[in-house]
Amino acid sequence: MADRKRLTTSAGAPVGDNQNSLSVGPRGPLLLEDLQLIEKNAQFNRERIPERVVHAKGAGAYGYLEITADVTRYTKARLFSEIGKRTEAFLRFSTVAGERGSIDAARDPRGFAIKLYTEDGNYDIVGNNTPIFFIRDGIKFPDFIRTQKRDPQTNLKNPTAMWDFWSLSPESLHQVTILFSDRGTPRSHRYMNGYSSHAYSWINSEGERFWVKYHFKTKQGIKNFTREEAIKVGGDDPDHATRDLYEAIARGDFPRWRACVQIMPMKDAENYHVNPFDLTKVWPHGDYPLVEFGELVLDRNPENYFQDVEQAAFEPSNIVPGIGFSPDKMLQARLFAYPDTHRYRLGANYATLPVNSPHATESQNYHRDGFMRFDGNGGPSVNYEPNSFGGPFEDSSVKEEAYNFEIDGMAARYNHREGNDDYTQVGNLFRLLTPDHQERLIDNLADSMQTVPHEIQVRQIRHFARADRRYGEGVARALGIDPSEIAEIAETEGAEAAPTA
Ligand code: NDP
């Protein structure tokens, strides 16, 4: 008893009775002056913070990125400066559409968000387990996500909304194909790859720029559930992937990924046959092979889930000298959206929370005040700039290097669907799947589309068929639709050509 800590109120005063509320007589009523009763309940009532609009269900862990190859001729970022160098990392994995308590086994892309605590500040690579995405312009993001969330009337997931949107947005076809393949239901977070998906830039010490895409290849091997397995696991253990990650790290079986990058010289981007900044396209490995530069390892579970995982705030806008953005329209929209949503969800001082603040350096700026400021708030130091009192000042050696390339063009709302080939890479993917994997893909699609109105089914099947005739015909047959109907409808609508292989 002697060495047990004394229970106190938030103000530090000792609590004499934490079992019985203060009442008039043994049967009540209660007295308003029972401040212990009121403080406990008032605090409890405020425990939940808004969940993330997307990626609400997640699991996270600490670890490191170790550099294993010399890439200094491409980037001067100090985290890559020497072989053997380790940078502390925090990773969060997530599903996208479900709520905070939703099942880990859902068919959904998985978030794969990395925070690297470098000596030049935090570098966040906020990607997914897919190399591409459903849309290529951030102006469509709220529309797309609504189709993945709950119906405004029934509060149920609505396959009609999903397939209506996808069938009217052919740029989604590539990601839809990955989503309904086996990779849409990874066995757990350890058994999947991560991708930056976007192109970023690497800038070397001569100021030369290269476009890059990151690939983190699981060393545990790709392992997926079939649809039937995912349904069973989701029922048996809704948190199976959260559990798997925690338990693997706790027993010392640390998950590892090969850290690789595709590198495209800037000049290539001008004439490459696909827009390298289109988030619905990959850069084929034949043209831009993977260059391995490191190993990503997770070796420490957080001590407290809420503090580290729920309060983690990743933002693609966190870059360091030697790294830059790209013109990718989705990336550009995300540069705004992430810090904006964190300010709403966590408050203006979210960046000072332990998991979000730089670990390997100090942030020094003139931000002051705001809700929940508890980092000293700059103390008595000067709070404006320029000043004559020793406050932090800018470092011109890193001045706008992230933006120093030429861009020209007319300001306009360019139609991102015009002249865009949404089918070739999808066909390539379909054809690299084994016949039994193709069958499972088609079966998963038919299962999802079965309740959707006929005209939407047909509109979507025409997209599958344009990627590969066998793909379209397979889905049509699985839904009991005569493949010839796809061509007939195309003709009567006159909108698009009949499917060809
Ligand atoms: P490659 O044969 O060199 O690469 C094929 C890629 O497909 C591999 O990275 C493989 O991943 C991945 N893959 C295999 N099955 C699936 C699946 N069900 N879902 C998602 N990815 C899968 O060919 P290319 O580089 O020319 O690309 C051909 C097609 O492969 C592309 O059109 C694209 O759809 C897909 N792809 C390409 C990627 C790229 O960055 N080039 C990345 C991922 C997919 P792994 O090696 O890990 O098994």
Side-chain angles (χ1 to χ4, degrees), residues 131 174 178 181 183 193 195 215 217 222 262 282-286 425 428-429 432-433 437:
H174 202 177
I178 294 179
S181 79
R183 292 200 188 187
N193 295 337
Y195 303 86
H215 300 243
K217 298 279 203 166
I222 297 270
Q262 286 180 292
V282 295
W283 301 351
H285 294 118
Q425 291 199 349
N428 293 343
L429 175 60
L432 71 79
L433 302 180
H437 196 160

Side-chain angles (χ1 to χ4, degrees), residues 417-430:
R417 297 201 177 104
E418 215 166 73
N420 220 319
D421 171 7
D422 292 316
Y423 303 101
T424 301
Q425 291 199 349
V426 185
N428 293 343
L429 175 60
F430 180 77

